[in-house]
Amino acid sequence: MAPLEYARTHRNRFLDELITFLRIPSISTLPEHAEHVAQAAHWLADHLRGLGLPEVEVVPTDGHPVVYAQWLGAGAEAPTVLIYGHYDVQPVDPLDEWHTPPFEPTLRDDNLYARGASDDKGQLFIHLKAIEAYLREEGRLPVNVKLLLEGEEECGSPNLAPVIEEHAERLQADVALISDTHILGPDQPSIVYSLRGLSYIEITVQGPAHDLHSGMYGGAVDNPLHVLARLIASLHDDAGRVTVPGFYDDVLPLTEEERAELARIPYGEEELLADTGVPCAWGEPEYTVVERIGARPTLDVNGLWGGFTGEGAKTVIPARAHAKISMRLVPNQDPDRVAQAALAYLQRAAPPTVTVTGRIFHGTPPALVPQDHPAMRAAAAAYERVWGRCPIFTREGGSIPVVALFAERLRLPTVLMGFGLRDDNLHAPNEKFYLPNFYRGIETAVHFFHLLPEHMG
Ligand code: BES
Ligand code: MN
Ligand code: MN
């Protein structure tokens, strides 16, 4: 197939272009990088125009822009694929743990090291190069393509729903395609059919009206930090289950078939210990590690602060204590309901010596994609052609907000065709992309576009 040949011949240039893209520090959550985020959006738009896409637009939002492009030359009979990716990246701290600077992409062995290398600039670039291969070699694609490239995914996509709603007509498609997840190993492809959702809250425990001398008042007023510690300790039982009443009410149980499929995944306690450096695993005993991460809802404290944390000693009873808490959700939990339940529990469980107030941040619903959808079959066949092995279906613990938006607002299933690896150091120092997966990813996308029409038939 000529586009495959093209993709192989131009690998080095593709890599050079990706390196240029990765040099732009498009950190969406830091206001001082807003200009770089805009710069990355325009770089992408220019690149898409260079590929010969007739309609390319940088769409402003209340936050960072969305880049939209389409090529509809395959005709009304052919399927339409809506490709999503995010061009924003995570902050780089702790900077001193990077072996080479995060925005000076560096090759070591078969890996390209840079912030955004796999999450998600490198993975979204795969689709641009597959499109290029078709347009240059054949002047057309076997499918219509629409591209929606976002700059706020790492902040929870707070401004994406209105864009999707406003452009719902234009975004009509048969299937959505996202490369922003990973496969099981360099030689074992996999397709993610479920992502967890996310609920995020912050609580404040208020005791005295202002900080107090701990000698003058200690023993006569309750300490908000102690109360917060007790509240947080009460959120799990000894077996690792979340104690918030109603937390598990809407959880869709795993079927026996799913458990059997998940049991094929070569990942367990041993791999978990090696990956994380923990001395032993933790969590609900009746579920495997893979199930705990992919199929069970969880609650984690992300940050805890209050009182004196500086150098030396200061004797004080602080007026307030704070915590940030995230909950990962599974199908069919509702982020808002879960957040309300957690807040209500914390307020009820608090002693009369304090008041507890809370804030609910924007939530993300979980996602479940039917494994037998024709587009999933086409994706499986595409992986098999490139890897020589059938992909295993997996569930991931992470979240991608747009997947639920596509399902709810556009009635679109999403094929999560990832090419990262578990050790790519997402959100951490020394993020990387395993380059053989970059090149194989492009070939997989080429096959997918070719196979989709007959599968969707
Ligand atoms: N690409 C990740 C999601 C991901 C990570 C999926 C690992 C599968 C495995 C995405 O960029 C991400 O980091 N999502 C955030 C979403 C949040 C900010 C709403 C997450 O999961 O924390
Ligand atoms: Mn991502
Ligand atoms: Mn991410």
Side-chain angles (χ1 to χ4, degrees):
M1 220 183 5
L4 284 179
E5 283 308 314
Y6 180 95
R8 288 182 194 137
T9 311
H10 292 88
R11 278 181 181 178
N12 290 339
R13 174 172 54 82
F14 292 174
L15 177 59
D16 287 341
E17 291 168 350
L18 175 58
I19 287 173
T20 306
F21 185 28
L22 287 168
R23 282 186 200 281
I24 308 170
S26 49
I27 306 171
S28 53
T29 200
L30 301 177
E32 62 268 33
H33 281 279
E35 234 163 84
H36 295 129
V37 181
Q39 190 190 338
H42 287 281
W43 186 91
L44 269 179
D46 288 342
H47 197 85
L48 288 162
R49 284 185 199 106
L51 299 186
L53 296 192
E55 293 170 61
V56 179
E57 211 184 304
V58 177
V59 183
T61 74
D62 284 347
H64 301 301
V66 165
V67 178
Y68 182 77
Q70 61 182 29
W71 181 92
L72 305 179
E77 242 68 308
T80 300
V81 183
L82 175 57
I83 300 166
Y84 164 95
H86 66 90
Y87 65 84
D88 65 322
V89 302
Q90 284 278 331
V92 296
D93 56 284
L95 189 55
D96 59 354
E97 288 184 25
W98 286 79
H99 300 310
T100 49
F103 297 110
E104 290 174 29
T106 308
L107 281 165
R108 281 196 296 282
D109 305 323
D110 276 336
N111 292 302
L112 179 64
Y113 286 84
R115 173 57 88 230
S118 53
D119 188 11
D120 178 42
K121 286 172 168 172
Q123 293 206 64
L124 82 80
F125 205 58
I126 281 172
H127 298 293
L128 273 52
K129 297 297 102 177
I131 291 169
E132 173 181 330
Y134 273 107
L135 292 181
R136 292 284 182 276
E137 280 302 313
E138 301 188 337
R140 66 189 307 279
L141 283 136
V143 294
N144 300 303
V145 291
K146 300 179 174 183
L147 293 115
L148 183 73
L149 308 173
E150 192 202 352
E152 295 189 306
E153 196 274 347
E154 300 292 8
C155 313
S157 305
N159 298 293
L160 198 56
V163 174
I164 288 176
E165 216 118 89
E166 194 181 320
H167 300 271
E169 202 65 42
R170 192 150 64 136
L171 294 171
Q172 285 305 320
D174 297 291
V175 66
L177 177 65
I178 302 180
S179 295
D180 192 25
T181 50
H182 45 255
I183 58 173
L184 285 171
D187 301 315
Q188 179 58 64
S190 52
I191 297 178
V192 175
Y193 72 93
S194 174
L195 289 168
R196 288 199 289 191
L198 187 65
S199 242
Y200 208 104
I201 62 172
E202 180 178 318
I203 62 162
T204 296
V205 177
Q206 175 89 42
H210 45 78
D211 286 8
L212 302 172
H213 189 295
S214 66
M216 289 172 68
Y217 295 98
V221 300
D222 205 355
N223 183 322
L225 282 167
H226 301 180
V227 173
L228 183 59
R230 283 200 300 271
L231 285 175
I232 284 172
S234 78
L235 287 169
H236 291 94
D237 67 15
D238 290 341
R241 254 180 302 269
V242 177
T243 54
V244 173
F247 188 75
Y248 295 101
D249 278 3
D250 301 326
V251 171
L252 198 71
L254 282 170
T255 63
E256 282 312 312
E257 293 83 43
E258 277 182 279
R259 293 196 84 166
E261 171 99 17
L262 294 176
R264 294 177 57 207
I265 297 172
Y267 194 85
E269 293 211 18
E270 199 182 313
E271 291 76 16
L272 179 76
L273 302 200
D275 272 3
T276 61
V278 294
C280 63
W282 177 85
E284 295 178 284
E286 63 272 41
Y287 294 95
T288 66
V289 168
V290 164
E291 290 169 347
R292 289 177 206 170
I293 293 172
R296 294 294 292 166
T298 50
L299 180 151
D300 277 285
V301 176
N302 299 106
L304 202 56
W305 71 104
F308 180 69
T309 56
E311 187 61 36
K314 175 189 177 192
T315 48
V316 62
I317 297 173
R320 279 170 294 275
H322 312 266
K324 287 187 190 280
I325 299 171
S326 66
M327 288 158 280
R328 294 280 172 177
L329 313 178
V330 300
N332 287 320
Q333 288 179 295
D334 174 66
D336 222 50
R337 256 190 90 178
V338 172
Q340 302 281 6
L343 261 185
Y345 164 77
L346 288 163
Q347 289 179 319
R348 259 198 330 270
T353 51
V354 297
T355 52
V356 172
T357 53
R359 245 177 97 192
I360 297 177
F361 292 93
H362 214 274
T364 295
L368 191 63
V369 190
Q371 293 184 34
D372 56 3
H373 190 281
M376 292 287 253
R377 298 284 152 214
Y383 275 111
E384 197 182 345
R385 291 211 176 168
V386 178
W387 263 266
R389 282 177 96 156
C390 274
I392 295 177
F393 283 90
T394 63
R395 283 172 169 253
E396 276 290 358
S399 312
I400 305 175
V402 77
V403 179
L405 291 177
F406 283 161
E408 283 165 17
R409 322 264 165 141
L410 302 178
R411 304 263 149 244
L412 266 190
T414 298
V415 176
L416 293 159
M417 201 164 80
F419 300 105
L421 292 175
R422 189 170 257 285
D423 67 356
D424 278 343
N425 298 320
L426 302 196
H427 298 199
N430 306 304
E431 180 179 346
K432 66 167 180 72
F433 196 10
Y434 181 59
L435 286 174
N437 281 16
F438 176 51
Y439 304 128
R440 285 178 152 185
I442 298 167
E443 293 184 25
T444 308
V446 167
H447 281 294
F448 178 73
F449 295 148
H450 171 74
L451 291 166
L452 193 64
E454 61 184 83
H455 278 81
M456 300 284 284

